[in-house]
């Protein structure tokens, strides 16, 4: 294309196919086309719904079968309080703490926690598949009961992992939704979990979703490598770098 030559419709269309960003939307007079306005409103509504939706814990437990499941909640009594008070979402309710204390027993290398976070929609859609993909790569390790946590922030995995005597806590949580993706999941891994751990002591695998994000199998592969390194080196977070050998471009990871 020569300098100063206007970009034609086909070139704009090609650019739009390379990114989820809203570019080259066009205009009708001084306004956006009606279709683009409606698309934006739909994306915004989906993001809001993801934040405010309640997690169907019974349906999630059924998807996780035959894995054993425990149900806990944070100190946030409802969704509105959870959104206003992040600190309450990092603390276990007294009833949940007692439940976990009673459940502690056998050796536990890894404690998996599934938390609604800021996208119960994403958790409902993909957390069970993601957890099973992760667990399949850790078959030689002792995995504790899966903990489903309501009104939970990332740090809630610390008291849960400590209560179960886990060497590593792995939290699968709904990520903050945006206007491109409303159902993304993140994984947070913490070695020697206990209250007071900082975010710098966790490893994060993010943007796990079906709209061009990381697939469950690729996320599981990364977690498997990081987790074994965490157990070997007895650390996690910024001190543990993901320097595994990259997968080949055409490697078959199986069904997502």
């Amino acid at each position: 294309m020569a300098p100063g030559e206007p970009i034609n419709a086909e070139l704009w269309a090609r650019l739009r196919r390379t990114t989820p960003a809203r570019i080259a939307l066009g205009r009708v007079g001084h306004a956006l086309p009606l279709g683009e306005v409606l698309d934006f409103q739909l994306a915004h509504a989906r993001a809001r719904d993801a934040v405010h939706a309640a997690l169907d814990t019974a349906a999630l437990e059924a998807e996780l079968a035959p894995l054993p499941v425990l149900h806990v909640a944070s100190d946030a009594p409802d969704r509105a309080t959870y959104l206003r008070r992040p600190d309450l979402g990092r603390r276990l309710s007294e009833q949940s703490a007692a439940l976990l204390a009673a459940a502690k027993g056998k050796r536990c290398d890894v404690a998996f926690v599934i938390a609604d976070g800021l996208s119960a929609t994403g958790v409902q859609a993909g957390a069970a598949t993601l957890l099973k993909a992760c667990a399949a790569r850790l078959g030689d390790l002792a995995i504790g009961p899966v903990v489903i946590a309501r009104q939970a922030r990332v740090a809630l995995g610390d008291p849960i992992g400590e209560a179960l005597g886990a060497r590593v806590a792995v939290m699968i949580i709904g990520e903050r939704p945006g206007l491109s993706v409303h159902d993304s999941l993140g994984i947070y891994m913490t070695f020697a979990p206990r209250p007071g751990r900082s975010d710098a002591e966790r490893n994060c695998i993010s943007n796990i979703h079906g709209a061009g994000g990381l697939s469950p199998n690729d996320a599981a592969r990364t977690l498997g490598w990081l987790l074994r390194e965490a157990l070997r080196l007895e650390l996690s977070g910024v001190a543990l770098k993901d320097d595994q050998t990259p997968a080949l471009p055409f490697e078959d990871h199986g069904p997502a």
Side-chain angles (χ1 to χ4, degrees), residues 22-221:
R22 286 175 166 79
I23 62 172
L25 301 183
R27 67 179 183 177
V28 178
H30 297 292
L32 290 171
L34 178 59
E36 298 296 347
V37 173
L38 294 176
D39 284 346
F40 179 89
Q41 291 177 341
L42 177 60
H44 187 253
R46 284 173 172 165
R48 287 177 59 88
D49 286 349
V51 169
H52 292 281
L55 182 64
D56 186 340
T57 56
L60 182 57
E61 180 176 359
E63 284 189 79
L64 290 167
L67 298 173
V69 171
L70 296 174
H71 295 266
V72 303
S74 75
D75 245 352
D78 51 54
R79 197 66 179 169
T81 305
Y82 167 80
L83 294 173
R84 292 195 305 266
R85 293 284 306 274
D87 57 312
L88 297 182
R90 301 183 184 109
R91 301 201 304 255
L92 276 171
S93 68
E94 290 185 11
Q95 183 179 5
S96 296
L99 172 68
L100 291 172
K104 184 177 179 179
K106 298 180 180 178
R107 168 175 155 246
C108 179
D109 293 319
V110 186
F112 278 103
V113 182
I114 296 180
D116 47 9
L118 290 172
S119 178
T121 301
V123 172
Q124 206 80 61
T129 298
L130 176 58
L131 186 145
K132 288 183 176 181
C134 293
R137 292 180 175 266
L138 306 173
D140 56 324
L141 299 176
I143 298 176
V146 178
V147 178
I148 298 177
R150 292 181 292 106
Q151 320 297 11
R153 301 280 175 171
V154 169
L156 194 70
D158 295 335
I160 292 173
E162 182 183 54
L164 293 176
R167 298 175 68 193
V168 178
V170 175
M171 175 168 275
I172 296 173
I173 191 167
E175 293 187 315
R176 186 187 308 275
L179 295 175
S180 298
V181 178
H182 65 282
D183 57 357
S184 181
L185 298 174
I187 297 175
Y188 290 83
M189 183 196 77
T190 310
F191 179 79
R194 62 178 183 272
R197 285 295 199 191
S198 71
D199 288 340
E201 295 173 292
R202 315 185 201 284
N203 291 87
C204 175
I205 305 167
S206 63
N207 290 305
I208 306 166
H209 58 82
L214 196 64
S215 74
N217 282 323
D218 283 341
R221 178 175 59 83

Side-chain angles (χ1 to χ4, degrees), residues 203 221-222 225-226 229 232-233 239-247:
N203 291 87
R221 178 175 59 83
T222 298
W225 188 90
L226 285 171
E229 286 296 287
R232 181 177 71 86
L233 300 173
L240 177 58
K241 305 300 182 185
D242 181 3
D243 57 1
Q244 62 183 316
T245 302

